[in-house]
Amino acid sequence: MNDRPALSNLATIDAAHHLHPFSDMKELNARGTRIIERAEGVYIYDSNGRKYLDAFAGLWCVNVGYGRRSIADAAYRQMQELPYYNTFFGTTTPPATLLAQKIASHGGEKLKRVFFTNSGSEATDTWFRMARVYWKVLGKPEKTEVIARKNGYHGSTVAGASLGGMKLMHEQGNLPIEGIHHIGQPYWYAEGGDLSPAEFGLKVARELEEKIDELGEDRVAAFVAEPIQGAGGVIIPPETYWPEIARICKARNVLLVVDEVICGFGRLGAWFGHQYYGVEPDLAPIAKGLSSGYLPIGGVLVSDRVADVMVNELGDFYHGFTYSGHPVAAAAALENIRIIEEEGLVERVRDDIGPYFAEAWKSLEDHDVVGQAESVGLIGGLQLAADKATRRRYAKPDDIGATVRNHCVENGLIMRATGDRMLASPALTISRLEIDEVVEKLRAALDHLRDTVRE
Ligand SMILES: *Cc1c(COP(=O)(O)O)cnc(C)c1O
């Protein structure tokens, strides 16, 4: 600590030198960055000594909670033994290989191989190329188009931002790139109109079928979706949605890519989101909870259908990252998964803390400004509404969400807002008492919204 400049100066230094992701830098520099110094369990502490309950697990990733000494030890040991070696050109390291085996052991019968990356975005770029390569090897080089969804999120690289359905991202950098198409999202509250959620789920799923038929089945390589949209606002699809999507992909011979970057590693009370929804992906990008964010690592879980072609018929796959399967990140991820197994965190989310969270979260639905409060496992989305009865939303959704979020932060609760939806995604280790604290503080922020904004 002594060799660092006084922390009071850090915000000034930060404004001078550090460009932040997804930030309005002018506004941020004027306000001053919040400096997070340390963390333990579900709590983070800033440079003013203030304590916050982090109901967002960093960025959906710190599944085992902060302060896990054994992950630090595993990384330290690995760094002393072998800090780096690559997995190109015929070599591997013990942690990389053992991690692939460990991930596969939870992937089910048909997902047995892993390609490593350093992030979810790189995982997206990886499966995007794999899907096209797969069809090319099978003699269908024209099967290249990829269908994704409006308001989906798949990362920030060129392919990631293109596949994502975020308009504001597309406007920066002339995206999407060619060959990518977007269909509607299963966001019943906002877009379902007079349909029941079940009817609406089928309707938006069938947009996939229509889009494939419009483009021609022989031109479509893959469809990608998150089990539950995260950054888009924790949009939980109606139960009819996923089975219909899986049926269509099968019937039209299109690869199904399930983006597990948030839902993987226990968040829904299953090891992977596709298991929760009972569908079988051909490709499944992973990251975030894979290492609980202790070190950057991601990958793509590859089904036998695709892997057998890659292994037996492709020859070289001209793709990879210097740090694919980085041994220190892999050692940290292995220890992270060992903790999830040993502490039974997936089962805990499914049988104990998930149901507790669901009830506490749902209790907010009685509030005047809440239209709907839904959750699965330990991910929750809360829809703000100006009028509950008619599902009428506030005129300025971004301002409304920010009002609630800021009130939470001022009261020591880290929440995120996407438009007029409040999002929660706490560590899988969160206690009942801590969930009570989340809901209590969020309720106070909802009271504040009700009492200050009238529409
Ligand atoms: C975060 C995220 C990504 C991108 O991961 P990065 O590690 O930020 O590159 C991709 N897909 C989903 C669903 C995500 O939530």
Side-chain angles (χ1 to χ4, degrees):
M1 294 275 284
N2 294 337
D3 54 356
R4 282 204 309 221
L7 285 169
S8 58
N9 287 339
L10 263 188
T12 312
I13 297 170
D14 196 75
H17 299 295
H18 186 186
L19 296 174
H20 291 239
F22 286 95
S23 302
D24 175 337
M25 286 313 302
K26 194 166 170 182
E27 185 266 333
L28 179 59
N29 290 346
R31 175 159 47 99
T33 323
R34 182 177 300 113
I35 300 156
I36 305 304
E37 283 192 312
R38 62 193 177 85
E40 186 64 37
V42 296
Y43 291 99
I44 61 173
Y45 298 83
D46 74 11
S47 54
N48 297 319
R50 285 207 58 193
K51 176 181 177 182
Y52 305 84
L53 196 167
D54 178 10
F56 210 65
L59 268 180
W60 326 87
C61 56
V62 188
N63 288 12
V64 299
Y66 298 102
R68 293 289 191 157
R69 181 65 189 266
S70 69
I71 299 181
D73 288 343
Y76 181 63
R77 274 196 308 273
Q78 182 58 43
M79 207 176 261
Q80 287 180 310
E81 200 164 290
L82 178 72
Y84 173 73
Y85 201 73
N86 69 74
T87 54
F88 288 28
F89 319 135
T91 52
T92 189
T93 64
T97 296
L98 294 174
L99 180 60
Q101 178 194 40
K102 176 58 80 183
I103 295 167
S105 76
H106 294 295
E109 256 169 61
K110 293 181 189 154
L111 291 167
K112 293 204 291 285
R113 279 163 282 197
V114 182
F115 191 104
F116 286 115
T117 68
N118 308 290
S119 68
S121 298
E122 289 176 2
T124 295
D125 281 54
T126 299
W127 72 250
F128 184 73
R129 293 191 63 202
M130 268 186 190
R132 288 176 163 183
V133 163
Y134 168 79
W135 290 114
K136 191 174 176 190
V137 171
L138 291 185
K140 299 191 169 179
E142 68 291 345
K143 223 163 145 64
T144 55
E145 306 297 291
V146 177
I147 300 171
R149 304 186 301 185
K150 291 171 193 155
N151 201 34
Y153 187 79
H154 304 291
S156 264
T157 49
V158 169
S162 293
L163 287 159
M166 307 291 186
K167 233 178 158 173
L168 296 174
M169 291 180 76
H170 290 168
E171 281 166 13
Q172 297 180 333
N174 295 35
L175 304 177
I177 54 171
E178 265 181 51
I180 290 174
H181 310 267
H182 295 88
I183 60 170
Q185 56 175 334
Y187 184 7
W188 173 79
Y189 194 91
E191 299 169 6
D194 293 333
L195 298 179
S196 71
E199 290 166 339
F200 180 68
L202 282 180
K203 178 174 173 271
V204 280
R206 286 180 186 151
E207 284 186 30
L208 174 60
E209 199 163 36
E210 288 156 28
K211 181 58 81 177
I212 294 171
D213 291 346
E214 175 195 320
L215 294 166
E217 187 179 312
D218 288 340
R219 291 183 56 222
V220 181
F223 168 70
V224 63
E226 301 151 82
I228 290 172
Q229 285 152 269
V234 184
I235 312 288
I236 299 174
E239 296 204 338
T240 49
Y241 183 77
W242 271 108
E244 184 66 1
I245 288 288
R247 181 194 69 75
I248 293 165
C249 287
K250 204 166 208 165
R252 293 292 190 277
N253 203 18
V254 162
L255 294 177
L256 174 59
V257 184
V258 178
D259 186 335
E260 294 279 7
V261 172
I262 288 175
C263 295
F265 301 95
R267 184 146 301 284
L268 307 192
W271 274 93
F272 293 100
H274 70 264
Q275 294 163 346
Y276 176 82
Y277 283 109
V279 299
E280 288 187 340
D282 297 299
L283 294 159
I286 52 177
K288 295 193 170 118
L290 166 57
S291 64
S292 285
Y294 278 64
L295 282 170
I297 185 166
V300 181
L301 249 172
V302 183
S303 67
D304 291 346
R305 174 187 183 180
V306 176
D308 287 345
V309 170
M310 306 270 311
V311 170
N312 299 324
E313 297 178 48
L314 174 64
D316 280 38
F317 182 34
Y318 299 109
H319 181 88
F321 305 98
T322 302
Y323 303 131
S324 283
H326 192 287
V328 181
L334 267 171
E335 176 58 17
N336 171 62
I337 296 175
R338 197 195 62 75
I339 291 171
I340 296 175
E341 289 172 348
E342 183 181 277
E343 298 182 5
L345 294 181
V346 177
E347 298 75 18
R348 177 173 194 264
V349 172
R350 187 188 63 206
D351 302 331
D352 175 29
I353 202 70
Y356 186 84
F357 175 71
E359 199 178 323
W361 193 250
K362 196 82 185 163
S363 74
L364 293 165
E365 245 177 31
D366 68 9
H367 199 284
D368 294 336
V369 299
V370 175
Q372 196 178 32
E374 297 173 286
S375 68
V376 172
L378 281 181
I379 190 168
L382 181 131
Q383 177 72 52
L384 301 169
D387 180 31
K388 289 165 87 88
T390 59
R391 278 163 46 210
R392 185 168 61 81
R393 297 164 72 189
Y394 286 93
K396 291 188 176 161
D398 290 343
D399 294 355
I400 291 301
T403 298
V404 175
R405 183 202 55 217
N406 293 343
H407 192 278
C408 288
V409 174
E410 279 158 28
N411 280 295
L413 172 66
I414 304 292
M415 291 275 304
R416 178 163 160 186
T418 293
D420 55 4
R421 290 180 71 82
M422 304 308 301
L423 325 181
S425 169
L428 310 188
T429 53
I430 193 169
S431 71
R432 293 183 174 214
L433 218 59
E434 288 158 350
I435 286 176
D436 294 346
E437 183 183 340
V438 172
V439 169
E440 196 178 300
K441 287 184 167 160
L442 178 52
R443 186 175 280 278
L446 297 170
D447 289 347
H448 171 75
L449 175 64
R450 180 195 58 209
D451 297 342
T452 52
V453 180
R454 303 230 173 250
E455 278 186 20

